[in-house]
Amino acid sequence: TQLLEQSPQFLSIQEGENLTVYCNSSSVFSSLQWYRQEPGEGPVLLVTVVTGGEVKKLKRLTFQFGDARKDSSLHITAAQPGDTGLYLCAVDSNYQLIWGAGTKLIIKP
Amino acid sequence: NAGVTQTPKFQVLKTGQSMTLQCAQDMNHEYMSWYRQDPGMGLRLIHYSVGAGITDQGEVPNGYNVSRSTTEDFPLRLLSAAPSQTSVYFCASSYFITRQSGTGELFFGEGSRLTVL
């Protein structure tokens, strides 16, 4: 059983559609990070959320940390082909980052 | 802007062979780590280091050794390769961390794809 459950595992949608992906756990965290990984590259940090209920926006991407700091969501508005990639969430635990398995997102032109 | 550099990018080994994956960073980061990434399993931590001379085990350390003689370099050694070690390996680094501040933003290399036959 993974500490972080990401859903859906895979999502393929048309350009211009909206979508939401989720990162859930039964544990409480002090912070949560979202990364995007493109094929053949390492993950790159998108955002860190720290406060329960916090909402952060990065252009068309909106990140929310649950009030109880157990879960997070990533909403993309008007998805573009450049949003294609593997979206990973991660949390800190004793000098280690624990990772979800990721959501593979494909945006079709 | 070199960042985190991994070599080699691709490697094929036979079962029982040994090899070293190299990782170097030029950002003066104290924290360095090695992950393996397998389909459907996300990133799993192999070993990490919070500074030169200090290393510790992560979630899946068996079959791997590391050392940290300098701040810049953090090589990963496979002692006797097994097919189960076929994976993509990532080196990542971040600024000095504390238990209170957490790992912070990790900067990743481009990965090393290893196949063990």
Side-chain angles (χ1 to χ4, degrees), chain B residues 2-117:
Chain B
V4 179
T5 303
Q6 289 183 233
T7 57
K9 285 187 169 42
F10 300 94
Q11 183 72 49
V12 178
L13 291 178
K14 294 181 180 179
T15 296
Q17 287 185 317
S18 62
M19 76 158 299
T20 300
L21 298 176
Q22 301 291 345
C23 175
Q25 53 91 8
D26 61 359
M27 298 174 282
N28 203 32
H29 285 172
E30 291 287 348
Y31 182 87
M32 296 187 74
S33 55
W34 276 103
Y35 289 89
R36 59 178 290 172
Q37 187 173 36
D38 302 292
M41 300 191 71
L43 289 157
R44 292 183 292 168
L45 184 65
I46 304 171
H47 286 284
Y48 66 96
S49 168
V50 298
I54 306 169
T55 63
D56 210 341
Q57 296 181 350
E59 180 185 357
V60 288
N62 292 342
Y64 308 94
N65 273 357
V66 292
S67 59
R68 185 93 181 270
S69 56
T70 67
T71 299
E72 295 77 20
D73 299 300
F74 191 44
L76 178 72
R77 297 181 187 84
L78 280 70
L79 309 173
S80 177
S84 61
Q85 293 179 303
T86 293
S87 187
V88 181
Y89 291 85
F90 286 97
C91 179
S93 70
S94 75
Y95 292 108
F96 177 73
I97 63 167
T98 64
R99 289 191 189 276
Q100 290 74 30
S101 68
T103 309
E105 177 180 4
L106 278 183
F107 293 82
F108 283 81
E110 293 185 336
S112 298
R113 184 176 294 275
L114 174 67
T115 301
V116 182
L117 303 175

Side-chain angles (χ1 to χ4, degrees), chain A residues 29-98:
Chain A
F29 303 110
S30 58
S31 65
L32 186 145
Q33 300 178 2
W34 283 95
Y35 287 77
R36 179 169 65 208
Q37 183 178 19
E38 298 185 16
E41 299 182 8
V44 175
L45 181 70
L46 295 172
V47 77
T48 301
V49 286
V50 179
T51 306
E54 181 178 9
V55 176
K56 282 192 173 179
K57 293 194 175 185
L58 188 65
K59 296 184 181 178
R60 294 175 292 99
L61 277 61
T62 302
F63 303 85
Q64 184 161 9
F65 202 14
D67 291 340
R69 290 183 287 123
K70 293 182 178 181
D71 51 75
S72 182
S73 63
L74 159 58
H75 181 79
I76 301 179
T77 303
Q80 304 293 314
D83 296 327
T84 291
L86 179 66
Y87 288 80
L88 296 158
C89 62
V91 294
D92 256 302
S93 176
N94 252 9
Y95 293 126
Q96 305 183 30
L97 271 187
I98 308 299

